[in-house]
Every structure is written in C-alpha cells, then in structure tokens.
Amino acid sequence: MKNTPGLLGRFNPYRIKISQLLALATVADEGTFSAAALALDLSQSTVSHAIAALENELGVQLIQRSRQGAQLTAVGERILPQARAILNHLEVMAQEANRERGLEGGTVRIAAFRSMATHLLPNAIARLHDLYPTIKIKITEYDEFYDVERALLTGQVDISVAELPKGEEFQTWEILRDDYLVLLPPSYSGPTQLTWEQLAGYPLIVSSVGACSHRIHDCLHAVTTHLPIAYEIREDSTMISMVKQGLGVTILPRLAAEPIPPGIKVGQLPCPLYRTIGAALLKSALHPPAVYAFLDALRQAGAFMHPALPASG
C-alpha cells in the first residue's frame, strides 16, 4: 500500500516493528529502561534503540527520561493503548495457531537428575510457560542413569534431561559437558591445579551412585598413585558437608556441587573428567507437539552443542 499523505499522514505505519511496540508497553509497565530490559531479557541499549526508532518513525516523543524513571509523554499516553491493542491481537493469533497445533494444554513428562532439575529446567520451563501457559510439566527426579533410561523405554516419561543414553533407539541432543571438580576443606591453601600425589594426602569421599561412582573409580584406577577411598556417600549434600568439616576431599560434577558453600576450596583434577548432559527421547514414540515446544524452550535456555531440534508440531 502506498503512503498516501491524506490517508496515512507523514509516515508509513507498516515500518513499525512489533518489538518496538513491545518495548514501549514494557517500559510503561516497568517504569525504567533497565527494568524493561530485564523483563524482556534484552540489553538496555536494545530497548533504548527500539524506543528511539519508534519515536523517529512516528515523529513524536513517547517517553521522557527523568530521575524518577521513564514517564510517557501526553502523546505516548494516547498511543500506548493502540500499541497494547496490536500486541493483544497478536496474542489471539498465536493462541489460535497453538490450538490448531495441539499446544493448548497437554503435559510434558520429564525424567531428570536432581542437579539438572535444579540448574537447567527452571529457566526452560519459565520460557515454555511464557509462550504456552496451559502446558503442564511433570518432573521425576532419579539418582541412577539406568532408571532414567528405563523410564524412557517404558513410556513413563516423554523426555530425559540427564546423561545421554547411547542406544540407537534414542534421539539425543547434547546440552553441555559438566566438568568434575575437587572440593577441598577450608584449611586447604595449596594450588588450584592438583596432582594425584596431593589428592592422595587427603581422605577421599566419593559418590556411591551408579554412573558417577563408576566414572570416578575408573579414573582412579587409571593412575599409578594409590588413592584409597575413605567414604562412599549417596547424597551430594552430605559429601559437601563432610568436606566443609575437614573430613576429606570429594570429586563431584560442577552442577551437582553448586551452590558451593562459602569456605570450601575448589580445585582441578590432574586430568579432564566430565559427564555429557543432554536431552533424549525415544525415536519410536509418537510425541505430542508440547514435547517439541519444551525442547525449543530448553534450547533457548542454553546452547545445544549438537543437531538442531526438529520443528515444533
């Protein structure tokens, strides 16, 4: 459509971007550019640029900055309801599309290690609910990897966020490699990079849980220095408390160790050791669109290191 002066005025409204209207509405709601940037998960300069571009396009000032924050000008007050109306219409359009794609309602059943449920899932679930608030999430936490794998194979869960299964029957996406750390008592004052000889000078506290225990035992058996194990403990929190009390040192994946209590020293193993964390689902299962919507949210919450996810729906 041509920009007809008598009909559309001095500017072309079709050049206005939805992101600019969203920035205007969010600054009006939050009261400051910094708070709006936080709410939108953008930088403050990006929000400022969006408002400036909108003002330039309209040819009027919409927001006045002051020590009290950001206030709408008189014309900004009049334009804001129109911006909100456009955003609301877009919401309705999205709801209709989601309803057609089967994204209204439904449940995503997730199997996860405790550390994954603590550090990776909340951000992804928040992003999912921003887009699809009616999708329900059910999380089952497991200690042992074989329990996660069995839950996938038997259809008890739709997706796992844990160590990756290796079978051909699974479709997997690597999320991150979780390095193992050495946690040392508050009295430790040596170097961060440890040798096996230095580790041998402390009672060793290790996990008794399947995959983690096997990985650490395999690592210790591969070195020539003898490192006797003093304690085998199931709960990460118990191991960390024992280290804090000076009863020994422990080796834990970073996500299992965090948050690390004040006073405990963190060291590096003499050789690299990590576990591969990712998402997995059963290839043969018929997955509802909500599962792929969750995978999209998980991808946005962190960087997948391997293949792109299939399109939602």
Side-chain angles (χ1 to χ4, degrees):
M1 180 182 294
K2 293 183 179 179
N3 186 351
T4 307
L7 187 62
L8 298 179
R10 64 177 294 275
F11 71 98
N12 184 347
Y14 300 106
R15 289 201 295 261
I16 293 174
K17 296 181 172 62
I18 299 304
S19 58
Q20 295 167 354
L21 300 180
L22 183 58
L24 175 65
T26 308
V27 171
D29 290 338
E30 300 295 332
T32 66
F33 279 76
S34 57
L38 190 61
L40 292 170
D41 196 19
L42 298 171
S43 67
Q44 187 171 336
S45 62
T46 300
V47 175
S48 296
H49 178 74
I51 296 296
L54 179 59
E55 290 177 329
N56 184 63
E57 195 63 50
L58 293 172
V60 294
Q61 184 177 3
L62 300 172
I63 292 178
Q64 180 71 51
R65 294 176 186 259
S66 70
R67 291 182 179 179
Q68 287 71 42
Q71 289 85 35
L72 291 172
T73 62
V75 67
E77 292 279 5
R78 297 196 301 272
I79 285 176
L80 178 63
Q82 314 307 320
R84 291 196 193 279
I86 292 170
L87 294 172
N88 288 338
H89 284 308
L90 289 171
E91 285 269 348
V92 173
M93 289 171 61
Q95 289 169 10
E96 290 297 332
N98 291 337
R99 190 174 291 113
E100 180 66 21
R101 294 161 59 207
L103 285 168
E104 286 294 324
T107 300
V108 181
R109 301 167 302 163
I110 306 167
F113 289 167
R114 178 202 59 80
S115 53
M116 308 302 106
T118 300
H119 297 291
L120 295 180
L121 294 187
N123 191 359
I125 293 170
R127 288 175 178 271
L128 178 72
H129 283 168
D130 282 344
L131 295 172
Y132 314 113
T134 58
I135 292 178
K136 294 181 175 61
I137 297 291
K138 179 181 178 182
I139 301 172
T140 304
E141 296 182 13
Y142 295 95
D143 290 328
E144 301 285 2
F145 173 69
Y146 59 76
D147 288 329
V148 174
E149 190 172 52
R150 183 169 61 239
L152 280 173
L153 287 169
T154 58
Q156 298 175 53
V157 299
D158 303 302
I159 186 169
S160 70
V161 181
E163 294 189 46
L164 288 176
K166 300 187 185 306
E168 291 294 323
E169 63 270 40
F170 300 106
Q171 186 172 9
T172 62
W173 299 269
E174 186 172 328
I175 300 174
L176 57 84
R177 293 180 181 178
D178 192 17
D179 293 325
Y180 279 72
L181 305 173
V182 182
L183 301 186
L184 302 113
S187 60
Y188 178 77
S189 59
T192 300
Q193 183 61 60
L194 297 159
T195 65
W196 294 118
E197 290 73 20
Q198 288 168 324
L199 275 174
Y202 292 87
L204 190 57
I205 306 165
V206 300
S207 173
S208 63
V209 175
C212 191
S213 174
H214 294 154
R215 189 172 292 113
I216 293 172
H217 278 81
D218 289 346
C219 177
L220 297 180
H221 290 158
V223 301
T224 55
T225 303
H226 180 58
L227 287 90
I229 293 172
Y231 307 95
E232 292 194 67
I233 308 293
R234 182 177 185 82
E235 296 295 335
D236 301 334
S237 58
T238 303
M239 298 162 67
I240 294 170
S241 293
M242 292 177 71
V243 171
K244 191 169 185 179
Q245 293 301 317
L247 296 175
V249 302
T250 191
I251 302 169
L252 279 174
R254 181 181 297 275
L255 289 180
E258 292 180 342
I260 299 171
I264 287 183
K265 307 296 174 58
V266 179
Q268 302 297 322
L269 284 167
C271 64
L273 185 65
Y274 62 86
R275 58 179 181 171
T276 302
I277 301 300
L281 50 78
L282 196 61
K283 286 181 182 178
S284 61
L286 183 61
H287 301 290
V291 170
Y292 292 106
F294 170 75
L295 279 169
D296 285 339
L298 189 60
R299 176 175 55 184
Q300 292 164 15
F304 279 99
M305 298 177 66
H306 274 295
L309 298 175
S312 298

